[in-house]
Structures are given as structure tokens and as C-alpha cells.
Amino acid sequence: MMKVAIVGSGFIGRAWAISFARAGHDVRMWDQSPAATAGAHDYIAGVLGDLAANDLLRGQAIDAVLDRIAVVAELGEALTDAVHIQENTPENLEVKREVFSLIDALAGPHAVIASSTSALLPSKFTDHLQGRHRCVVVHPINPPYLIPAAEVVPAPWTSPETVERTRAFLVAAGHAPLVMKHELDGFIMNRLQGALLEEAFRLVADGFASVEDVDIGIRDGLALRWSFMGPFETIDLNAPGGVRDYVERYQTIYANIFPQMLRRVDWAGEVMATVEADRRKRLPREELVERQVWRDRRLMALAAHKKKSDQEFGR
């Protein structure tokens, strides 16, 4: 068991706390805003009940996991003896620089300091630190207690030891780390998601498909394979001779349509009226929270199914 500090106790921080406590670690949560930590235990307890019902607590009792999570009033108390520190403050560069300065000054010399940022390059907020070699981005897909993938993004000065320790820590906690060789705007997952969203908005804006048609294509089409295979494995299995055979057969299709994909559509422009109207027709604004709860429960069911399948097939 290691001691883990969670800095920033909003939804991402709470989600990390669940993941790390479930893995057996002693978790301390801190936030500069008491409102952010108010009710954190109740929120987490409610989630743990659903996870237990889906056998997603590694066979542990709810109270055993919950007892490993504590909310503390002082940052120094959270950081004392912490081996891994997960920062979850707002996506603001100056805030990140200030918070990382505090953490670097207070944390033990061997602690890994990780940020959950989804957009800021680690070099932009760690360059001034004495301990910048132990700083790294660990960007999750929310919620990380249900979606195992997490991006490990080093700054140019992040030590190889820090990257490896972080990777091993995540694997031991049940995560599937994507270890980048160098930092890059958008990292991996946002660049992949962004490419898909760009085309989705373009198809709707240009009148080729409705919002629901695009959602059907992913939900009832591509995502069924992508839920257990990545794009490279998908094409490797979609041609008799594997990935090279696929490229030789089908690359020209994508080469022909690629020039049409180089024009951006402003997501917040005229197309937004169409997208929003379709979504609000299918899901009224007042039902968003209820649907978010439904989404998380469906993710739990999917996680439970994948866990059982992995055990059966010896993955």
C-alpha cells in the first residue's frame, strides 16, 4: 500500500480517489475550496455501492475502500509521505504553475507529481521547478474508475524513471497507460477524438447526415469493434492478409476523401443550432443529469462484462 495525494477534489479528483483506494492505496484528498470537498465521502460512497453491485471493487467491501479515503484541510498534510500526487485543478496555465510550485516545495523528494490536465503541455507549467524531472501528465478519460486508459505524457525533462514508475503504478491500479514518447498538443486521445468530431460536425453542417445518423454510425457500428479493439487491430483483422493487405486494398479510399477533410467547420457556428436542437429534442436539458447517471451505470455494466471476458479468454 502506498500513500496517494489528490490535489483538487472535484469530479476528476474524486474519481481518481476511488480508483486508487480500490487498488489498496491510502488516499488523502485536499482542495483549497471547502465546497469542493463537502460531501466528497457521500458522493464516493454512493459510487462504491454501484461498483460493488457490479463486482468492480476487486472483491473488497465498500467500507474497506471508503476507509482508505480521507479529506484533509491542509495541503501539506495531504502531501506528507505521498508516493504519487495527482493534481486536478482547473485548466488554467497560471493556476497549474502556482499549484505545481507549492507541491514541488512541500512534497517529498521522491514523489511523482502528476497532472490530470487534458490540454496543457507539461513543459508549460513545470519548467521553473527544481523537481521538474519528477513531473508528468496522467490524463484520464472520465471517470477513471470505469475507463482504464490514461495518458502518460512526459515533459522534455521528465526522467525515464518517473515515466516508468508512473506506468507501473497505473498498471498495478488496474489502468491501461498510454505512454507517449514526447509531449504533443492534444496528447493521443483528444487528437483521435478530435478527428472524429471534426468529421461529425462537417457531415451535419454540409447536410449529408443528421446528428442521430452520425451517432448511430458510431454507437451501433464502429464503437462495437472499438470497445474491445483499437483501429490498428481492427484493420489487421479486416483483410485476409492482415494490416498490409488492408492498406493495399483500401488506402486509396481514404486518400481520395482526405482533401475534403481539410476544411474546418466552426462547431459554435450555424451548425450548433442544428446539433443542439436535435440533442434537446432527444434529451431535454433537465434530463441531462439523469442521463449522465445512466451513462455511468452502462459503463459499469460494460466494465464488468469486459472483466469477465478477459478472465475467460486469459487476457
Coordinates of all heavy atoms in Angstrom, one line a residue, residues 99-171:
V99 N 0.2 26.0 -8.5 CA -0.1 24.7 -7.7 C 1.1 23.8 -7.7 O 1.5 23.2 -6.7 CB -1.3 24.0 -8.2 CG1 -1.5 22.6 -7.6 CG2 -2.6 24.9 -7.9
F100 N 1.8 23.7 -8.9 CA 2.9 22.8 -9.0 C 4.1 23.4 -8.2 O 4.9 22.6 -7.7 CB 3.3 22.5 -10.5 CG 2.7 21.3 -11.0 CD1 1.3 21.1 -11.2 CD2 3.5 20.2 -11.3 CE1 0.8 20.0 -11.7 CE2 3.0 19.0 -11.7 CZ 1.6 18.9 -11.9
S101 N 4.2 24.7 -8.1 CA 5.3 25.3 -7.3 C 5.1 24.9 -5.9 O 6.0 24.5 -5.2 CB 5.3 26.8 -7.5 OG 5.6 27.2 -8.8
L102 N 3.8 25.0 -5.4 CA 3.5 24.6 -4.0 C 3.8 23.1 -3.7 O 4.4 22.7 -2.7 CB 2.1 24.9 -3.7 CG 1.7 26.4 -3.6 CD1 0.2 26.5 -3.5 CD2 2.4 27.0 -2.4
I103 N 3.3 22.3 -4.7 CA 3.5 20.8 -4.5 C 5.0 20.5 -4.5 O 5.5 19.7 -3.6 CB 2.8 20.1 -5.5 CG1 1.3 20.3 -5.4 CG2 3.1 18.6 -5.4 CD1 0.4 19.7 -6.6
D104 N 5.7 21.0 -5.4 CA 7.2 20.7 -5.5 C 7.9 21.1 -4.3 O 8.9 20.4 -3.9 CB 7.8 21.4 -6.8 CG 9.2 20.9 -7.1 OD1 9.4 19.7 -7.1 OD2 10.0 21.8 -7.3
A105 N 7.5 22.2 -3.6 CA 8.2 22.7 -2.4 C 7.8 21.8 -1.2 O 8.7 21.7 -0.3 CB 7.8 24.1 -2.2
L106 N 6.6 21.3 -1.2 CA 6.1 20.6 0.0 C 6.3 19.1 0.0 O 6.4 18.4 1.0 CB 4.7 20.9 0.3 CG 4.4 22.4 0.6 CD1 2.8 22.6 0.6 CD2 4.9 22.7 2.0
A107 N 6.3 18.5 -1.2 CA 6.3 17.0 -1.4 C 7.7 16.5 -1.1 O 8.7 17.1 -1.3 CB 5.8 16.7 -2.8
G108 N 7.7 15.2 -0.7 CA 8.9 14.5 -0.5 C 9.7 14.4 -1.8 O 9.1 14.5 -2.9
P109 N 11.0 14.3 -1.8 CA 11.9 14.4 -3.0 C 11.6 13.3 -4.0 O 12.0 13.4 -5.2 CB 13.3 14.4 -2.4 CG 13.2 13.7 -1.1 CD 11.8 14.1 -0.6
H110 N 11.1 12.1 -3.6 CA 10.9 11.0 -4.4 C 9.5 10.8 -4.9 O 9.2 9.8 -5.6 CB 11.4 9.7 -3.7 CG 12.8 9.8 -3.3 ND1 13.9 9.9 -4.2 CD2 13.4 9.8 -2.1 CE1 15.0 10.0 -3.5 NE2 14.7 9.9 -2.2
A111 N 8.6 11.7 -4.6 CA 7.2 11.6 -5.0 C 7.0 12.0 -6.5 O 7.7 13.0 -6.9 CB 6.3 12.5 -4.1
V112 N 6.2 11.3 -7.2 CA 5.9 11.6 -8.6 C 4.7 12.6 -8.5 O 3.8 12.4 -7.8 CB 5.4 10.4 -9.4 CG1 4.8 10.8 -10.7 CG2 6.6 9.4 -9.6
I113 N 4.9 13.7 -9.3 CA 3.8 14.7 -9.3 C 3.1 14.7 -10.7 O 3.8 15.0 -11.7 CB 4.4 16.1 -9.0 CG1 5.2 16.1 -7.8 CG2 3.3 17.1 -8.9 CD1 5.9 17.5 -7.5
A114 N 1.9 14.3 -10.7 CA 1.2 14.1 -12.0 C 0.0 15.0 -12.1 O -0.7 15.3 -11.1 CB 0.7 12.6 -12.1
S115 N -0.2 15.5 -13.3 CA -1.4 16.4 -13.6 C -2.4 15.7 -14.4 O -2.1 14.9 -15.3 CB -0.9 17.6 -14.3 OG -2.0 18.4 -14.6
S116 N -3.7 15.9 -14.1 CA -4.8 15.3 -14.9 C -5.2 16.2 -16.1 O -6.2 15.9 -16.7 CB -6.0 15.2 -14.0 OG -5.8 14.2 -13.0
T117 N -4.4 17.3 -16.4 CA -4.7 18.2 -17.4 C -5.0 17.4 -18.7 O -4.3 16.5 -19.1 CB -3.6 19.2 -17.7 OG1 -4.0 20.1 -18.7 CG2 -2.3 18.5 -18.1
S118 N -6.0 17.9 -19.5 CA -6.4 17.3 -20.7 C -5.9 18.1 -21.9 O -6.0 17.7 -23.1 CB -7.9 17.2 -20.8 OG -8.5 18.4 -20.7
A119 N -5.3 19.3 -21.7 CA -4.9 20.1 -22.8 C -3.6 20.8 -22.6 O -2.9 21.1 -23.6 CB -6.0 21.2 -23.0
L120 N -3.1 21.0 -21.4 CA -1.9 21.8 -21.2 C -0.6 20.9 -21.3 O -0.6 19.9 -20.6 CB -1.9 22.5 -19.9 CG -3.1 23.6 -19.7 CD1 -3.1 24.1 -18.3 CD2 -2.9 24.7 -20.7
L121 N 0.3 21.3 -22.1 CA 1.6 20.6 -22.1 C 2.3 20.7 -20.8 O 2.5 21.8 -20.3 CB 2.5 21.1 -23.3 CG 1.9 21.0 -24.7 CD1 2.8 21.6 -25.7 CD2 1.6 19.5 -25.0
P122 N 2.9 19.6 -20.3 CA 3.6 19.6 -19.0 C 4.8 20.6 -19.0 O 5.1 21.2 -18.0 CB 4.0 18.2 -18.8 CG 4.0 17.5 -20.2 CD 2.9 18.2 -20.9
S123 N 5.4 20.8 -20.2 CA 6.5 21.7 -20.2 C 6.1 23.2 -19.9 O 6.9 24.0 -19.5 CB 7.2 21.7 -21.6 OG 6.3 22.1 -22.6
K124 N 4.8 23.5 -20.1 CA 4.3 24.9 -19.9 C 4.2 25.2 -18.4 O 4.1 26.4 -18.1 CB 3.0 25.1 -20.6 CG 3.1 24.8 -22.1 CD 4.0 25.8 -22.8 CE 3.9 25.7 -24.3 NZ 4.9 26.6 -25.0
F125 N 4.1 24.2 -17.5 CA 3.8 24.6 -16.1 C 4.8 23.9 -15.2 O 4.6 23.9 -13.9 CB 2.4 24.2 -15.7 CG 1.9 22.8 -15.9 CD1 2.1 21.8 -15.0 CD2 1.2 22.5 -17.1 CE1 1.7 20.6 -15.2 CE2 0.8 21.2 -17.3 CZ 1.0 20.2 -16.4
T126 N 5.9 23.2 -15.7 CA 6.9 22.6 -14.8 C 8.3 23.1 -15.1 O 9.2 22.7 -14.4 CB 6.8 21.1 -15.0 OG1 7.3 20.7 -16.3 CG2 5.5 20.5 -14.7
D127 N 8.5 23.9 -16.1 CA 9.8 24.3 -16.5 C 10.6 25.1 -15.4 O 11.8 25.0 -15.3 CB 9.8 25.2 -17.7 CG 9.0 26.5 -17.5 OD1 7.8 26.4 -17.1 OD2 9.5 27.6 -17.7
H128 N 9.9 25.7 -14.5 CA 10.5 26.5 -13.4 C 10.8 25.8 -12.1 O 11.4 26.3 -11.2 CB 9.6 27.7 -13.1 CG 8.3 27.3 -12.5 ND1 7.4 26.5 -13.3 CD2 7.7 27.5 -11.3 CE1 6.3 26.3 -12.5 NE2 6.5 26.9 -11.3
L129 N 10.5 24.5 -12.1 CA 10.6 23.8 -10.8 C 11.9 23.1 -10.6 O 12.5 22.6 -11.6 CB 9.5 22.7 -10.8 CG 8.0 23.2 -11.0 CD1 7.1 22.0 -11.0 CD2 7.7 24.1 -9.8
Q130 N 12.4 23.1 -9.4 CA 13.6 22.4 -9.1 C 13.5 20.9 -9.3 O 14.4 20.2 -9.8 CB 14.0 22.6 -7.6 CG 15.3 22.0 -7.2 CD 15.7 22.3 -5.8 OE1 15.1 23.1 -5.1 NE2 16.8 21.7 -5.3
G131 N 12.2 20.4 -9.0 CA 12.0 18.9 -9.1 C 11.2 18.6 -10.4 O 10.4 17.7 -10.5
R132 N 11.5 19.3 -11.5 CA 10.7 19.1 -12.7 C 10.9 17.8 -13.3 O 10.1 17.3 -14.1 CB 11.1 20.2 -13.7 CG 12.5 20.2 -14.2 CD 12.7 21.4 -15.2 NE 14.0 21.3 -15.9 CZ 14.4 22.1 -16.8 NH1 13.6 23.1 -17.2 NH2 15.5 22.0 -17.5
H133 N 12.0 17.1 -13.0 CA 12.3 15.8 -13.5 C 11.2 14.7 -13.0 O 11.1 13.7 -13.7 CB 13.7 15.3 -13.1 CG 13.8 15.1 -11.6 ND1 14.0 16.2 -10.7 CD2 13.7 14.0 -10.8 CE1 14.0 15.7 -9.5 NE2 13.9 14.4 -9.5
R134 N 10.5 15.0 -11.9 CA 9.6 14.0 -11.4 C 8.1 14.4 -11.7 O 7.2 13.9 -11.2 CB 9.8 13.9 -9.9 CG 10.0 15.1 -9.1 CD 9.0 15.5 -8.2 NE 9.3 16.6 -7.2 CZ 9.2 16.4 -5.9 NH1 8.8 15.2 -5.5 NH2 9.3 17.4 -5.1
C135 N 7.9 15.4 -12.7 CA 6.6 15.8 -13.1 C 6.2 15.2 -14.4 O 7.0 15.1 -15.3 CB 6.6 17.4 -13.2 SG 7.0 18.2 -11.6
V136 N 4.9 14.9 -14.5 CA 4.4 14.2 -15.7 C 2.9 14.5 -15.7 O 2.2 14.8 -14.7 CB 4.7 12.7 -15.6 CG1 3.9 12.0 -14.5 CG2 4.5 12.0 -16.9
V137 N 2.3 14.3 -16.9 CA 0.9 14.4 -17.1 C 0.3 12.9 -17.0 O 0.9 12.0 -17.6 CB 0.4 15.0 -18.4 CG1 -1.0 14.7 -18.7 CG2 0.6 16.5 -18.3
V138 N -0.7 12.7 -16.2 CA -1.5 11.5 -16.3 C -2.9 11.9 -16.6 O -3.7 12.2 -15.6 CB -1.4 10.7 -15.0 CG1 -2.3 9.4 -15.1 CG2 0.1 10.3 -14.8
H139 N -3.3 11.9 -17.8 CA -4.6 12.4 -18.2 C -5.6 11.2 -18.4 O -5.4 10.3 -19.2 CB -4.5 13.1 -19.6 CG -5.8 13.4 -20.2 ND1 -6.1 13.1 -21.5 CD2 -6.9 14.0 -19.7 CE1 -7.3 13.5 -21.8 NE2 -7.9 14.0 -20.8
P140 N -6.7 11.2 -17.6 CA -7.7 10.1 -17.7 C -8.8 10.4 -18.7 O -9.0 11.6 -19.1 CB -8.2 10.0 -16.3 CG -8.3 11.5 -15.9 CD -7.0 12.1 -16.5
I141 N -9.5 9.4 -19.0 CA -10.9 9.6 -19.6 C -11.8 9.4 -18.4 O -11.8 8.4 -17.7 CB -11.2 8.6 -20.7 CG1 -10.3 8.8 -21.9 CG2 -12.6 8.7 -21.1 CD1 -10.5 7.9 -23.0
N142 N -12.7 10.4 -18.2 CA -13.5 10.4 -17.0 C -14.7 9.5 -17.2 O -15.4 9.5 -18.3 CB -14.0 11.8 -16.7 CG -14.6 12.0 -15.4 OD1 -14.1 11.5 -14.4 ND2 -15.7 12.7 -15.3
P143 N -15.1 8.7 -16.2 CA -14.4 8.5 -14.9 C -13.3 7.4 -14.9 O -13.6 6.3 -15.4 CB -15.5 8.2 -13.9 CG -16.5 7.4 -14.8 CD -16.4 8.0 -16.2
P144 N -12.2 7.7 -14.3 CA -11.1 6.7 -14.4 C -11.3 5.4 -13.6 O -10.6 4.5 -13.9 CB -9.9 7.5 -13.9 CG -10.4 8.6 -13.1 CD -11.7 9.0 -13.7
Y145 N -12.3 5.4 -12.7 CA -12.6 4.2 -12.0 C -13.4 3.2 -12.9 O -13.6 2.1 -12.6 CB -13.3 4.4 -10.7 CG -14.6 5.2 -10.8 CD1 -15.7 4.6 -11.1 CD2 -14.6 6.5 -10.5 CE1 -16.9 5.3 -11.2 CE2 -15.7 7.3 -10.5 CZ -16.9 6.6 -10.9 OH -18.1 7.4 -10.9
L146 N -13.8 3.7 -14.1 CA -14.6 2.9 -15.0 C -13.9 2.7 -16.4 O -14.0 1.7 -17.0 CB -16.0 3.4 -15.3 CG -16.9 3.4 -14.1 CD1 -18.2 4.1 -14.5 CD2 -17.2 2.0 -13.7
I147 N -13.1 3.7 -16.8 CA -12.4 3.7 -18.0 C -10.9 3.6 -17.8 O -10.3 4.5 -17.2 CB -12.7 4.9 -18.9 CG1 -14.2 5.0 -19.1 CG2 -11.9 4.9 -20.2 CD1 -14.6 6.2 -19.9
P148 N -10.2 2.5 -18.0 CA -8.9 2.2 -17.6 C -7.8 3.0 -18.3 O -6.7 3.3 -17.7 CB -8.7 0.7 -17.8 CG -9.7 0.3 -18.8 CD -10.8 1.2 -18.6
A149 N -8.0 3.5 -19.6 CA -7.0 4.2 -20.3 C -6.6 5.5 -19.6 O -7.5 6.2 -19.2 CB -7.4 4.4 -21.7
A150 N -5.3 5.7 -19.6 CA -4.8 7.0 -19.0 C -3.5 7.3 -19.8 O -2.6 6.5 -19.9 CB -4.6 6.9 -17.5
E151 N -3.4 8.6 -20.2 CA -2.2 9.0 -21.0 C -1.1 9.5 -20.0 O -1.3 10.3 -19.1 CB -2.6 10.1 -21.9 CG -3.6 9.7 -22.9 CD -4.1 10.9 -23.8 OE1 -4.6 11.9 -23.3 OE2 -3.9 10.8 -25.0
V152 N 0.1 8.9 -20.2 CA 1.3 9.4 -19.5 C 2.1 10.2 -20.5 O 2.6 9.7 -21.5 CB 2.1 8.2 -19.0 CG1 3.4 8.6 -18.3 CG2 1.2 7.3 -18.1
V153 N 2.2 11.5 -20.2 CA 2.8 12.5 -21.1 C 4.0 13.1 -20.4 O 3.8 13.9 -19.5 CB 1.8 13.5 -21.6 CG1 2.5 14.4 -22.7 CG2 0.5 12.9 -22.1
P154 N 5.2 12.9 -20.8 CA 6.4 13.5 -20.2 C 6.7 14.8 -20.7 O 6.4 15.1 -21.9 CB 7.5 12.5 -20.5 CG 7.1 11.9 -21.8 CD 5.6 11.9 -21.8
A155 N 7.3 15.7 -19.9 CA 7.9 16.9 -20.4 C 9.3 16.6 -21.0 O 9.7 15.4 -20.7 CB 8.0 18.0 -19.3
P156 N 9.9 17.5 -21.7 CA 11.3 17.1 -22.2 C 12.2 16.7 -21.1 O 13.2 16.0 -21.3 CB 11.7 18.4 -22.9 CG 10.4 19.1 -23.3 CD 9.4 18.8 -22.2
W157 N 12.0 17.2 -19.9 CA 13.0 16.9 -18.8 C 12.4 15.9 -17.8 O 13.1 15.6 -16.8 CB 13.2 18.2 -18.0 CG 12.0 19.1 -17.8 CD1 11.0 18.9 -17.0 CD2 11.7 20.2 -18.6 NE1 10.0 19.9 -17.2 CE2 10.5 20.7 -18.2 CE3 12.3 20.9 -19.7 CZ2 9.8 21.8 -18.7 CZ3 11.7 22.0 -20.3 CH2 10.5 22.4 -19.8
T158 N 11.3 15.3 -18.0 CA 10.8 14.2 -17.2 C 11.7 13.0 -17.3 O 12.1 12.6 -18.4 CB 9.4 13.8 -17.6 OG1 8.5 14.9 -17.5 CG2 8.9 12.7 -16.6
S159 N 12.2 12.5 -16.1 CA 13.1 11.4 -16.1 C 12.5 10.1 -16.6 O 11.3 9.9 -16.3 CB 13.7 11.2 -14.8 OG 12.8 10.7 -13.9
P160 N 13.2 9.3 -17.3 CA 12.7 7.9 -17.6 C 12.2 7.2 -16.4 O 11.3 6.4 -16.5 CB 13.9 7.2 -18.3 CG 14.8 8.4 -18.8 CD 14.6 9.5 -17.8
E161 N 12.9 7.3 -15.3 CA 12.5 6.6 -14.1 C 11.1 7.1 -13.6 O 10.2 6.3 -13.2 CB 13.4 6.9 -12.9 CG 13.0 6.2 -11.6 CD 13.8 6.7 -10.4 OE1 14.6 7.7 -10.6 OE2 13.7 6.2 -9.3
T162 N 10.8 8.4 -13.8 CA 9.5 8.9 -13.4 C 8.4 8.3 -14.3 O 7.3 7.9 -13.9 CB 9.4 10.4 -13.5 OG1 10.3 11.0 -12.5 CG2 8.0 11.0 -13.3
V163 N 8.7 8.2 -15.6 CA 7.7 7.7 -16.6 C 7.5 6.2 -16.3 O 6.3 5.8 -16.2 CB 8.3 7.8 -18.0 CG1 7.4 7.1 -19.0 CG2 8.4 9.3 -18.4
E164 N 8.5 5.4 -16.0 CA 8.4 4.0 -15.7 C 7.6 3.8 -14.4 O 6.8 2.9 -14.3 CB 9.7 3.3 -15.7 CG 9.7 1.8 -15.3 CD 8.7 1.0 -16.1 OE1 8.4 1.4 -17.3 OE2 8.2 0.0 -15.6
R165 N 8.0 4.5 -13.4 CA 7.3 4.4 -12.1 C 5.8 4.7 -12.2 O 5.0 4.0 -11.7 CB 7.9 5.3 -11.0 CG 9.2 4.9 -10.5 CD 9.8 5.9 -9.5 NE 8.8 6.1 -8.4 CZ 8.8 7.1 -7.6 NH1 9.7 8.1 -7.7 NH2 7.9 7.3 -6.6
T166 N 5.5 5.7 -13.0 CA 4.1 6.1 -13.2 C 3.4 5.0 -14.0 O 2.2 4.7 -13.6 CB 4.0 7.4 -14.0 OG1 4.7 8.4 -13.2 CG2 2.6 7.9 -14.2
R167 N 4.0 4.5 -15.0 CA 3.4 3.4 -15.8 C 3.1 2.2 -14.9 O 2.0 1.7 -15.0 CB 4.3 3.0 -17.0 CG 3.7 2.0 -17.9 CD 4.7 1.2 -18.7 NE 5.6 0.4 -17.8 CZ 5.2 -0.7 -17.3 NH1 4.0 -1.2 -17.6 NH2 6.0 -1.4 -16.5
A168 N 4.1 1.8 -14.2 CA 3.9 0.6 -13.3 C 2.8 0.9 -12.2 O 2.1 0.0 -11.9 CB 5.2 0.3 -12.7
F169 N 2.8 2.1 -11.7 CA 1.8 2.4 -10.7 C 0.4 2.3 -11.2 O -0.5 1.8 -10.6 CB 2.1 3.8 -10.2 CG 1.0 4.4 -9.2 CD1 1.0 4.0 -7.9 CD2 0.1 5.3 -9.7 CE1 0.0 4.5 -7.1 CE2 -0.9 5.8 -8.9 CZ -0.9 5.4 -7.5
L170 N 0.2 2.8 -12.4 CA -1.1 2.8 -13.1 C -1.5 1.3 -13.4 O -2.7 1.0 -13.2 CB -1.1 3.6 -14.3 CG -1.0 5.1 -14.1 CD1 -0.8 5.8 -15.5 CD2 -2.3 5.7 -13.5
V171 N -0.6 0.6 -13.9 CA -0.9 -0.8 -14.3 C -1.3 -1.6 -13.0 O -2.3 -2.3 -13.0 CB 0.3 -1.5 -14.9 CG1 0.1 -3.0 -15.0 CG2 0.6 -0.9 -16.3

